[in-house]
Amino acid sequence: MAPPNNQKRVKGVQIHRPFIYGSTAKLFSEDNPKPPGTPPDHTHSWTVFVKGVDDTDITYWCKKVQFKLHESIPNPMRMIDDVQPGGAFEVHETGWGEFEITIKIYYVPESLEKPQTLYHHLRLHPYGQTEEEKEVMRKGPDIRSWIYEEQLFNEPYNEFYDILTSPMDRGKGGGKGTRVMKGGMVGSVGERTASIPLTTRPDQPFSRETEKIEINRLEEAQVKVKELMEKFGDELREKETELARLKAKYPDVQLKR
């Protein structure tokens, strides 16, 4: 989209806004009965969504969201242009199988930016790298596959920049979300910010607390990798020393590879 003549990019500025996308699935049971008319082979109800972290408003930069579901589902292309209570663009469905959902995010017209496409695998059953992780999911009320993402607006057009940084009434928030590059100061630009909660709650797993836990986990993994590399290095040096000794002892023996 070609910008109007009066639209110029705000040079040296990056603005990021966190959001969550993903799905929540629940097995049909006495607590979650099948709605009337549900096909008999459907085993789960599920929701796919895009929303702000801590249910903060994202409609000032996200105009609408398109969800492309499996072709076997009636009306598989769903365009959602209104948010539900809690600020989510979402689709509710039932089914029995897992599949990939294409999510296309459309920005507000003032952004003059092209839509962004994301891909999400619908999860109906416990998953994880370990049996312990799967067991935790089995004990939970639902199966969540939520992904934290940050939308980066690099040098936005001036009208969109004003929208991103203008004050707004909101019950939650705080923090800083605008980074000024090329030696500029980093600071707050208004109440529309990129904050995330300080602590984790069952309905909001992404927070500064989980961020710190993940950083600690990565640091511990780096230490283990370094220890393994040192161990393998020592073993390699020992084998090279032994090989040199054998070559010196048996100079006429040809080694085969």
Side-chain angles (χ1 to χ4, degrees), residues 190-249:
E191 296 177 11
R192 282 176 169 154
T193 65
S195 66
I196 62 175
L198 293 177
T199 58
T200 302
R201 304 193 309 274
D203 59 334
Q204 293 295 344
F206 302 105
S207 66
R208 296 299 178 192
E209 179 184 9
T210 53
E211 182 181 58
K212 185 176 181 180
I213 292 173
E214 183 66 12
I215 290 174
N216 291 339
R217 188 184 68 82
L218 292 173
E219 289 176 347
E220 291 174 358
Q222 287 180 330
V223 171
K224 290 181 180 179
V225 169
K226 183 178 180 181
E227 291 174 350
L228 286 173
M229 290 180 65
E230 291 176 350
K231 177 183 177 182
F232 292 147
D234 291 340
E235 292 177 354
L236 179 60
R237 284 187 288 271
E238 289 178 2
K239 293 182 183 298
E240 288 176 342
T241 300
E242 179 64 13
L243 178 60
R245 186 186 68 80
L246 292 173
K247 284 182 177 180
K249 186 175 181 179

Side-chain angles (χ1 to χ4, degrees), residues 98-146:
E98 299 181 347
F99 56 90
E100 185 176 74
I101 299 173
T102 302
I103 302 173
K104 184 174 285 189
I105 296 176
Y106 291 82
Y107 307 113
V108 294
E110 294 86 352
S111 73
L112 301 175
E113 301 290 353
K114 295 180 179 179
Q116 175 188 184
T117 301
L118 304 170
Y119 300 93
H120 175 70
H121 187 82
L122 174 66
R123 300 281 188 177
L124 301 184
H125 308 285
Y127 65 94
Q129 297 182 350
T130 65
E131 285 300 321
E132 182 179 1
E133 292 174 340
K134 294 179 182 179
E135 186 61 27
V136 170
M137 284 195 172
R138 291 188 186 99
K139 294 179 179 179
D142 49 38
I143 301 298
R144 295 183 179 183
S145 179
W146 294 11

